[in-house]
Amino acid sequence: MKKLGLLPKLILAIIIGILIGTTRSEILVRIMATFTGIFGNFLNFVIPLIIIGFVAPGIGELGKGAGKLLGITTALAYLSTILSGTLAYGVNHTLFKYILVPGALSFNAANPEHALLSGFFTVDMPPIMGVMTALLIAFTLGIGIAAVDGTTIKNFMNEFQQIVEGIIRKIIIPLLPIHIAGIFANMTYAGEVVTIMTVFSKVFGLILILHFTVLVIQYVVAGLLAGGNPITLLKNMIPAYFTAIGTQSSAATIPVTLRQTKVNGVNDGIADFAVPLCATIHLSGSTVTLVSCSMAVMMLHNIPVTFHLMFGFIMMLGITMVAAPGVPGGAVMAALGLLQTMLGFSPASISLMIALYLAQDSFGTACNVTGDGAISIMVNKFAGYRLNKNETNVEY
């Protein structure tokens, strides 16, 4: 098992999880749920430390140009999110009328998480700060390190980064496959997630096609800018994609995304800075999903859908979802206010929206984190670095 690469372990974990879920053994699933609950709490605890441990030293290592690169990364991530949502609107506006019957909604929505089994016990591990607080601290320290000539704080942050890397390498990465197996076992046991995905299979199928289209566009652009092969660059990010499917969290997938981004030849300092930042601000996949699901719900309820309305919704999504990546399903929770105020969703429509989103949250997250690698490649180019050609091949 130790000789297997990360990708085979993740695929095997997914298969084992589904098989365990199909046995309908409540005790076995609850045992795995106990582990996933504890491990998930640990991930939530570590996420702010990962952000500070990577972003602050990453910005500091960039020196005087850190502020400029921070602006470039943020602009690229937000632009990618907005364009992805706009693409989703255009495709859905064209195709939904052929696959959906307006006003034909007669589905009893229930939050699929209600069917999930809980663990036998849990261990609370509250993070010492929120994701946004960690980002602000990381920005402040990183820019300060870059601006000040002293080395004390810089050395401290570099050592702190080594500690965080040790936690990732020796605890998180080895235990991730078990965590993912537990998640899939519970989802399979719950059954309601499968039911919802079956009812809206056409919509989900279109969302997955949109996710793939967005990723292809992102890596074609990144490849053209950086002089890399888009297919190879995208292939190298597959482990991050599968990890995100299991964790349902962009932030929790940072360790794998970071490793594969460096495999693509991105400068270590740029990767350490851009990947954790993009995990929080780049949500192209989640935007595609939210736009598609909300348009489907609106059409099925005979609510008028216009570009003016949806584009404003998309613009606001790119801002309100920033605090969501650390929590599975957090994007739709962060968007609830927009669904009510901008799209006029009723409580019943919101309930359906939550169910639809949670049923395929994994794939939107996977699109997010895989796209983070493309943004990092672009930032690497704007920072004046070339891709390290010696690292563009990887053994999975």
Side-chain angles (χ1 to χ4, degrees), residues 359-377:
Q360 64 76 68
D361 180 37
S362 301
F363 299 99
T365 302
C367 181
N368 291 342
V369 302
T370 307
D372 292 348
I375 299 296
S376 300
I377 292 171

Side-chain angles (χ1 to χ4, degrees), residues 76 83 214-228 230 233 374 377-378 381-382:
L76 286 173
L83 292 179
V214 166
L215 289 175
V216 170
I217 293 174
Q218 289 172 341
Y219 277 90
V220 167
V221 173
L224 289 174
L225 280 175
L233 296 173
I377 292 171
M378 298 179 200
K381 174 63 177 179
F382 285 121

Side-chain angles (χ1 to χ4, degrees), residues 217-301:
I217 293 174
Q218 289 172 341
Y219 277 90
V220 167
V221 173
L224 289 174
L225 280 175
N229 185 327
I231 296 177
T232 301
L233 296 173
L234 184 56
K235 182 184 70 173
N236 286 343
M237 296 302 295
I238 290 177
Y241 185 92
F242 276 90
T243 301
I245 288 178
T247 63
Q248 295 180 275
S249 169
S250 296
T253 313
I254 286 175
V256 181
T257 310
L258 186 61
R259 190 187 78 168
Q260 299 309 121
T261 299
K262 292 179 180 180
V263 164
N264 268 336
V266 174
N267 175 270
D268 285 358
I270 296 295
D272 290 344
F273 156 71
V275 169
L277 176 59
C278 287
T280 304
I281 65 175
H282 182 229
L283 298 116
S284 55
S286 295
T287 301
V288 167
T289 302
L290 283 169
V291 170
S292 300
C293 288
S294 60
M295 288 182 67
V297 171
M298 291 170 73
M299 292 184 70
L300 293 172
H301 278 104

Side-chain angles (χ1 to χ4, degrees), residues 338-390:
L338 298 180
L339 293 171
Q340 289 178 314
T341 58
M342 298 188 70
L343 303 186
F345 273 33
S346 65
S349 297
I350 288 177
S351 177
L352 176 59
M353 187 71 187
I354 294 173
L356 288 174
Y357 187 89
L358 288 177
Q360 64 76 68
D361 180 37
S362 301
F363 299 99
T365 302
C367 181
N368 291 342
V369 302
T370 307
D372 292 348
I375 299 296
S376 300
I377 292 171
M378 298 179 200
V379 174
N380 190 73
K381 174 63 177 179
F382 285 121
Y385 293 101
R386 295 184 178 182
L387 295 180
N388 183 348
K389 300 298 183 180
N390 294 328

Side-chain angles (χ1 to χ4, degrees), residues 198-220:
T198 301
V199 173
F200 286 87
S201 59
K202 293 180 180 180
V203 176
F204 286 160
L206 184 56
I207 289 174
L208 290 177
I209 293 173
L210 282 168
H211 285 166
F212 179 75
T213 302
V214 166
L215 289 175
V216 170
I217 293 174
Q218 289 172 341
Y219 277 90
V220 167

